[in-house]
Amino acid sequence: MPKTNYSSSPTTKQLHVLKLTYKFRFINASLLASYRGLSIRSSNKLLKSLLEHGYIDRHYDGSYRLAGKPASYYLTLKGIKVLRNDPKISLKNLAPLQRNKSLSNSFVDHSLDIMSTYLSLRAIYPDTFIMFTRTELARFDYFPTPRPDIYLQRIKQSDETYNYYLLEIFTDPRPFIMRKRV
């Protein structure tokens, strides 16, 4: 059993990763490294620490290695309990996260695609949009159901172009899935 240094609460860096995991539901080491501007090694070390403390768990088995697919991490009940103390996160938004362990691989892949798209948009349009994910939008009643994958709001309003965007990410090419979402 690995030696761990248990503390009563997560560090600031660890708490940031927990909030990031809440925001996207699933993360992996390379996406975390891109988001935070870290090396993959530092990202893996941070995730390993959270895993050892029981704040997160992961989807990973032998087939992942053969496919070259990285482990995907999600919040555990212990991680969810830590986030309950954050005033910006409602308890209503945390309830669905308790099912993360049993979600399908396609849902996990979709969540990772959302994070990847979010990072791409942030790189292409720096300081242009405030972006919210589906999880963050759950607290607002005025958004359509089902909530969009990403909602973009222009920071500086413009009269010449659109200021708000609802973005859906289609990873499943089946037409009935696309019709259902649209």
Side-chain angles (χ1 to χ4, degrees):
M1 187 164 188
K3 239 184 181 180
T4 56
N5 186 8
Y6 290 99
S7 62
S8 58
S9 61
T11 65
T12 305
K13 285 182 182 180
Q14 290 173 333
L15 189 58
H16 185 265
V17 174
L18 292 178
K19 288 179 183 179
L20 194 61
T21 308
Y22 158 78
K23 180 178 182 110
F24 294 104
R25 292 230 18 202
F26 291 89
I27 63 172
N28 65 32
S30 62
L31 292 173
L32 175 61
S34 295
Y35 189 94
R36 300 232 20 214
L38 302 170
S39 68
I40 296 285
R41 177 176 275 184
S42 297
S43 177
N44 275 323
K45 185 176 177 182
L46 189 53
L47 289 168
K48 183 179 178 188
S49 171
L50 286 166
L51 189 64
E52 288 174 351
H53 284 81
Y55 294 119
I56 61 172
D57 204 352
R58 66 182 177 177
H59 284 277
Y60 187 78
D61 62 32
S63 67
Y64 281 43
R65 179 172 288 213
L66 291 173
K69 184 176 176 180
S72 53
Y73 297 87
Y74 59 92
L75 291 171
T76 61
L77 288 176
K78 185 176 179 181
I80 291 170
K81 286 178 186 175
V82 168
L83 294 179
R84 283 186 181 152
N85 300 327
D86 190 322
K88 294 180 182 179
I89 298 174
S90 77
L91 295 178
K92 176 185 169 188
N93 294 1
L94 291 172
L97 301 180
Q98 295 177 19
R99 297 187 315 253
N100 284 345
K101 185 176 187 171
S102 61
L103 292 172
S104 70
N105 284 336
S106 63
F107 185 92
V108 174
D109 292 342
H110 183 76
S111 297
L112 295 172
D113 287 340
I114 291 170
M115 186 173 185
S116 179
T117 303
Y118 181 99
L119 292 171
S120 295
L121 288 169
R122 191 173 78 167
I124 295 168
Y125 302 105
D127 303 321
T128 305
F129 295 105
I130 300 170
M131 294 187 274
F132 300 92
T133 62
R134 179 182 295 163
T135 306
E136 294 171 309
L137 295 175
R139 65 182 171 171
F140 302 112
D141 293 335
Y142 50 84
F143 281 95
T145 303
R147 305 282 190 254
D149 290 326
I150 300 175
Y151 170 70
L152 296 99
Q153 178 181 336
R154 194 174 295 281
I155 294 171
K156 293 179 184 171
Q157 301 292 304
S158 171
D159 293 333
E160 288 115 35
T161 187
Y162 296 106
N163 293 308
Y164 308 97
Y165 299 89
L166 302 175
L167 183 62
E168 288 291 331
I169 297 158
F170 294 105
T171 53
D172 190 334
R174 295 178 291 183
F176 79 91
I177 298 287
M178 289 186 216
R179 276 195 300 273
K180 181 179 171 187
R181 291 295 300 167
V182 174

